[in-house]
């Protein structure tokens, strides 16, 4: 067997542990290529589609959008299984994006009990670190998660 063996959508679904409806959705989004159809008009996929599905699911687990997944999958060849070098090239291209994802995960893991400069003013610390919601002057959203510092919103001396 190699990456060009053909699998029905049912076989693919079972092996990947992903519902057939999700596989059809990924195909409609252009994330997967249909290799053909059986005489009974059932979808057929090459075996290397399993790797693409695992990649798509892993990306979804860490919050990468399917549109972003499509951009990188479109760089892989459609007419043969991608080589390890071609998969490796994706990780190089994505290094910055993955680093950013890691920074957000670190913030979520370590900063939920702290003031994040979001404007809620619901912690006692908010009034000390974000007096009068001064963080709103720096822009929208959780400013301290976005890289601004409470020192940036300190009242003028
Ligand atoms: S946590 Fe929202 S302003 Fe402090």
């Amino acid at each position: 067997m190699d990456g060009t063996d053909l699998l029905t959508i049912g076989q693919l679904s079972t092996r990947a542990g992903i519902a057939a409806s999700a596989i059809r959705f990924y195909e409609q989004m252009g994330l997967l290529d249909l290799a053909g159809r059986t005489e009974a008009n059932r979808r057929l996929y090459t075996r290397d589609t399993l790797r693409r599905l695992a990649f798509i699911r892993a990306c979804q687990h860490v919050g990468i959008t399917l549109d972003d997944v499509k951009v990188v999958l479109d760089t892989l060849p459609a007419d043969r299984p991608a080589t390890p070098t071609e998969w490796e090239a994706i990780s190089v291209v994505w290094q910055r994006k993955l680093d950013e994802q890691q920074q957000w995960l670190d913030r979520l893991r370590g900063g939920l009990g702290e003031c994040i400069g979001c404007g809620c003013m619901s912690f006692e610390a908010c009034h000390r670190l974000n007096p009068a919601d001064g963080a709103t002057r720096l822009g929208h959203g959780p400013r301290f998660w976005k890289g601004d510092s409470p020192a940036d919103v300190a009242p003028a001396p």
Side-chain angles (χ1 to χ4, degrees), residues 114-121 123 126 130:
E114 302 168 4
C115 176
I116 60 175
C118 66
C120 73
M121 307 304 290
F123 293 172
C126 298
N130 184 22

Coordinates of all heavy atoms in Angstrom, one line a residue, residues 114-121 123 126 130, ligand 1:
E114 N -5.8 37.7 36.3 CA -5.2 39.0 36.4 C -6.0 40.0 35.5 O -6.8 39.5 34.7 CB -3.8 39.0 35.8 CG -2.8 38.1 36.6 CD -1.5 37.8 35.8 OE1 -1.3 38.5 34.8 OE2 -0.8 37.0 36.3
C115 N -5.8 41.3 35.7 CA -6.5 42.2 34.9 C -5.8 42.2 33.5 O -4.6 42.2 33.3 CB -6.3 43.7 35.4 SG -7.0 44.9 34.3
I116 N -6.7 42.1 32.5 CA -6.2 42.0 31.1 C -6.5 43.3 30.3 O -6.2 43.3 29.1 CB -6.8 40.8 30.4 CG1 -8.3 40.8 30.3 CG2 -6.3 39.5 31.1 CD1 -8.9 39.7 29.5
G117 N -7.0 44.3 31.0 CA -7.2 45.5 30.3 C -8.4 45.5 29.3 O -8.3 46.2 28.3
C118 N -9.4 44.7 29.6 CA -10.5 44.5 28.6 C -11.6 45.5 28.8 O -12.5 45.5 27.9 CB -11.0 43.1 28.7 SG -11.8 42.7 30.3
G119 N -11.6 46.3 29.8 CA -12.7 47.2 30.0 C -13.8 46.8 31.0 O -14.7 47.5 31.2
C120 N -13.7 45.5 31.5 CA -14.8 45.0 32.3 C -14.8 45.6 33.7 O -15.8 45.8 34.3 CB -14.7 43.5 32.4 SG -13.3 42.9 33.5
M121 N -13.6 46.0 34.2 CA -13.5 46.6 35.5 C -14.1 45.8 36.6 O -14.6 46.3 37.6 CB -14.1 48.0 35.6 CG -13.5 48.9 34.4 SD -11.7 49.1 34.4 CE -11.4 50.0 35.9
F123 N -12.5 43.2 38.5 CA -11.6 42.8 39.5 C -11.1 44.1 40.3 O -11.0 45.2 39.7 CB -10.3 42.1 39.0 CG -10.6 40.8 38.3 CD1 -9.5 40.2 37.6 CD2 -11.8 40.2 38.3 CE1 -9.7 39.0 37.0 CE2 -12.0 38.9 37.7 CZ -10.9 38.3 37.0
C126 N -8.4 45.7 38.7 CA -8.6 46.6 37.5 C -8.5 48.0 37.8 O -7.9 48.8 37.0 CB -10.0 46.3 36.9 SG -10.2 44.6 36.3
N130 N -5.8 49.4 35.6 CA -6.4 50.0 34.5 C -7.4 51.1 35.0 O -8.6 51.1 34.8 CB -7.2 48.9 33.7 CG -7.8 49.5 32.4 OD1 -7.4 50.5 31.9 ND2 -8.9 48.8 32.0
Ligands
LIG1 S1 -9.9 42.3 33.7 FE1 -11.2 43.6 32.4 S2 -10.4 45.6 32.9 FE2 -9.4 44.4 34.2

